[in-house]
């Protein structure tokens, strides 16, 4: 898990207000740990826990506010619209667990982080940029 958090901290250095990061992977793959690393990298001082039961949490206090969403229990795009996430999307970094296919309309470009936990407990992350801005940012690293 420490490597997953460290990846999140590294990724935070690339993040800007308005960015959307969609986390994809099975239960236990490290989605919340990655978000904890992103929060640490953004300078969020409060603990970051899974927003499963509240669906969305806003963490202020860092260099950019962090909106952390768990879309697992959402039934579709209409439920995402009801959350009104686009109201804070321009000022914050929005990280959505279980959001693939539901939240991409929140931003013109986004980054998908595909997480996998192998049988040997090794976690693998694959960064998939959607849009030229993300391709450029990831290519520069």
């Amino acid at each position: 898990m420490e490597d997953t958090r460290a990846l999140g901290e590294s990724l935070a250095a690339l993040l800007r207000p308005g960015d959307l990061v969609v986390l994809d992977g099975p239960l236990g793959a490290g989605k919340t740990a990655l978000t904890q690393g992103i929060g640490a990298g953004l300078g969020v001082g409060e603990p970051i826990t899974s927003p499963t039961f509240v669906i969305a949490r806003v963490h202020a206090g860092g260099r950019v506010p962090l909106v952390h969403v768990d879309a697992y229990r959402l039934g579709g795009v209409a439920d995402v619209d009801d959350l009104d996430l686009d109201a804070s999307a321009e000022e914050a970094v929005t990280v959505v667990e279980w959001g693939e296919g539901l939240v991409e309309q929140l931003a013109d470009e986004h980054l998908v982080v595909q997480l996998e936990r192998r049988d040997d407990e090794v976690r693998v992350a694959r960064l998939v940029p959607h849009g030229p801005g993300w391709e450029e940012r990831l290519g520069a690293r």
Side-chain angles (χ1 to χ4, degrees):
M1 280 302 190
E2 288 306 313
D3 287 346
T4 306
R5 283 189 188 93
L7 173 63
E9 285 190 52
S10 296
L11 188 56
L14 300 176
L15 295 173
R16 305 174 191 154
D19 279 344
L20 172 63
V21 180
V22 180
L23 307 182
D24 181 42
L27 194 64
K31 294 180 292 295
T32 299
L34 184 77
T35 306
Q36 290 168 340
I38 290 172
L42 292 175
V44 172
E46 63 194 30
I48 294 177
T49 59
S50 178
T52 299
F53 298 106
V54 295
I55 300 179
R57 284 196 171 99
V58 177
H59 301 278
R63 70 171 174 84
V64 179
L66 172 64
V67 177
H68 183 199
V69 180
D70 186 328
Y72 184 76
R73 295 183 306 132
L74 300 181
V77 174
D79 288 346
V80 173
D81 288 342
D82 288 346
L83 291 177
D84 203 23
L85 294 174
D86 51 353
S88 60
E90 289 185 20
E91 303 90 38
V93 168
T94 303
V95 176
V96 184
E97 298 185 24
W98 305 99
E100 200 159 27
L102 293 173
V103 298
E104 291 83 358
Q105 79 280 358
L106 293 174
D108 292 336
E109 300 182 305
H110 64 281
L111 177 68
V112 174
V113 181
Q114 297 173 335
L115 296 165
E116 172 189 346
R117 186 177 75 188
R118 298 191 326 214
D119 290 340
D120 58 1
E121 295 301 314
V122 170
R123 286 174 170 77
V124 177
R126 183 172 167 244
L127 306 180
V128 182
H130 292 269
W134 270 110
E135 290 171 6
E136 183 179 312
R137 278 192 258 177
L138 292 178
R141 297 231 10 124

